[in-house]
Amino acid sequence: MKKIFLLLATVALVLTSCNKVPISGRNQLNLVSDSEVLQSSIASYNEYMKTATRSTQTVKSEQVTRVGQRIAAATEAYLNANGMSDQVKNFAWEFNLVRDNQLNAFCMPGGKIVVYEGIMNIVSSDDELAVVLGHEVAHAVAKHSNERLSQQKALQYGSTALSILTAGKSQATQSIASTVFGLGANYGVMLPFSRKHETEADNIGLVLMTMAGYNPDCALTFWQKMSAGTSNTKAEFLSTHPSDATRIANLQKQLPKVKQQYGAYIKASTPAASTTKTSSTKKSSSKKSSKKSSKKK
């Protein structure tokens, strides 16, 4: 009777600890509080920034801040307009470019986002950078870190329940059950959920960058360049990220829906917001030349 009670209590805890992810609407497990996650996140972020070397590339650093803040503003406007103002208070946005040649960026809960210089080498416009930052902001908005911690807690509960069920069985039976549970938890739950998080961040990021006025079509060109710049031969089912081909195919599928639903944001935004520095320089140059030509006349 005690075993059944503990198992039912575990199941009840998991079933009643669910939230909905903004924009995607997916039900998500949540067994940890925001305050717990934010406290440890801020501590980890501060420790990292003590060891990281901030980029001295002023123009690119300003670009990261500019695009990041624009997406953050659009994100908060969406949350406020859709009855989720309580979530906005958890964000203290910070966007940093650090000196590292890796093609990478990461996000900490609460909106602490770091971009590596390496990824900026393949970013050719604000729109493409918005793909990266939209994806990272999406991780924060979807509280993927909270969910990962919750999954780990749930697995601990599951492991405890398994021990209760196999109590009194032979050592061999308990060992086999434990091994199978471990493999199933890793390849059947944790890794697929990591891939699910990445795909969800891609999809939500696409919406966020569009709401911020950036061109979502650039998601395809950016990830195609990322694919050309990396060599990942690891089987997808053993990876925490979807393959490049899977990611690009998913974005191609999502783009028409996103543009149809959120395309008005792009039209309403300032045209100069998504232009590259090169194009804006050319425009100013052309203006100068036109002035000169008019003077000649």
Side-chain angles (χ1 to χ4, degrees):
M1 189 66 183
K2 184 179 178 181
K3 293 179 183 179
I4 295 174
F5 174 78
L6 287 172
L7 287 173
L8 289 175
T10 300
V11 172
L13 177 63
V14 171
L15 291 177
T16 56
S17 302
C18 290
N19 292 333
K20 278 194 178 294
V21 177
I23 298 177
S24 76
R26 177 178 64 85
N27 285 326
Q28 132 185 109
L29 182 65
N30 188 10
L31 298 173
V32 295
S33 68
D34 289 341
S35 59
E36 287 180 281
V37 177
L38 290 172
Q39 187 175 1
S40 60
S41 169
I42 291 172
S44 298
Y45 175 77
N46 289 337
E47 283 301 313
Y48 169 80
M49 289 308 298
K50 286 178 184 177
T51 60
T53 303
R54 293 178 187 269
S55 175
T56 55
Q57 298 183 40
T58 306
V59 173
K60 289 185 177 180
S61 294
E62 289 175 350
Q63 184 183 18
V64 168
T65 301
R66 179 179 67 250
V67 176
Q69 288 178 343
R70 187 181 178 95
I71 292 175
T75 299
E76 291 192 1
Y78 172 85
L79 293 174
N80 284 324
N82 288 274
M84 292 176 275
S85 301
D86 59 316
Q87 296 191 30
V88 174
K89 66 182 181 182
N90 291 326
F91 296 121
W93 301 104
E94 192 171 321
F95 302 90
N96 281 300
L97 181 64
V98 301
R99 192 181 299 171
D100 194 308
N101 290 325
Q102 292 184 66
L103 298 176
N104 206 3
F106 69 83
C107 173
M108 301 290 282
K112 307 300 186 184
I113 293 172
V114 171
V115 178
Y116 293 172
E117 283 183 346
I119 208 167
M120 295 299 289
N121 293 330
I122 65 169
V123 166
S124 58
S125 68
D126 280 9
D127 294 294
E128 287 190 353
L129 179 57
V131 178
V132 178
L133 295 177
H135 176 95
E136 298 304 334
V137 169
H139 275 306
V141 171
K143 297 183 181 180
H144 285 157
S145 293
N146 297 49
E147 190 172 8
R148 289 285 288 170
L149 290 170
S150 297
Q151 289 165 6
Q152 290 171 1
K153 276 197 173 185
L155 288 173
Q156 289 172 2
Y157 296 150
S159 180
T160 300
L162 181 67
S163 298
I164 294 170
L165 287 173
T166 58
K169 303 292 184 181
S170 68
Q171 185 63 40
T173 300
Q174 292 183 34
S175 178
I176 292 172
S178 178
T179 300
V180 170
F181 177 81
L183 289 173
N186 192 28
Y187 296 121
V189 180
M190 299 305 281
L191 291 181
F193 262 98
S194 294
R195 292 194 294 274
K196 180 182 287 186
H197 285 171
E198 287 300 311
T199 300
E200 186 171 60
D202 281 348
N203 296 345
I204 295 175
L206 206 60
V207 172
L208 296 179
M209 68 175 289
T210 305
M211 288 195 298
Y214 296 108
N215 181 7
D217 286 322
C218 289
L220 292 179
T221 56
F222 171 78
W223 283 111
Q224 285 164 353
K225 288 196 288 186
M226 278 288 284
S227 178
T230 57
S231 57
N232 185 8
T233 57
K234 193 174 184 179
E236 184 172 355
F237 80 96
L238 292 175
S239 174
T240 58
H241 288 59
S243 68
D244 294 329
T246 299
R247 174 169 255 151
I248 292 169
N250 170 67
L251 289 169
Q252 287 175 323
K253 182 181 177 181
Q254 296 298 320
L255 270 170
K257 293 184 286 186
V258 171
K259 287 193 288 186
Q260 181 180 12
Q261 190 169 356
Y262 301 97
Y265 285 96
I266 304 175
K267 296 174 184 177
S269 66
T270 306
S274 59
T275 58
T276 64
K277 187 186 175 189
T278 303
S279 61
S280 62
T281 302
K282 287 181 179 178
K283 287 181 181 177
S284 61
S285 299
S286 61
K287 286 181 181 178
K288 289 178 182 178
S289 59
S290 62
K291 286 181 180 178
K292 287 179 180 178
S293 60
S294 62
K295 287 179 180 179
K296 287 179 181 179
K297 290 178 181 178

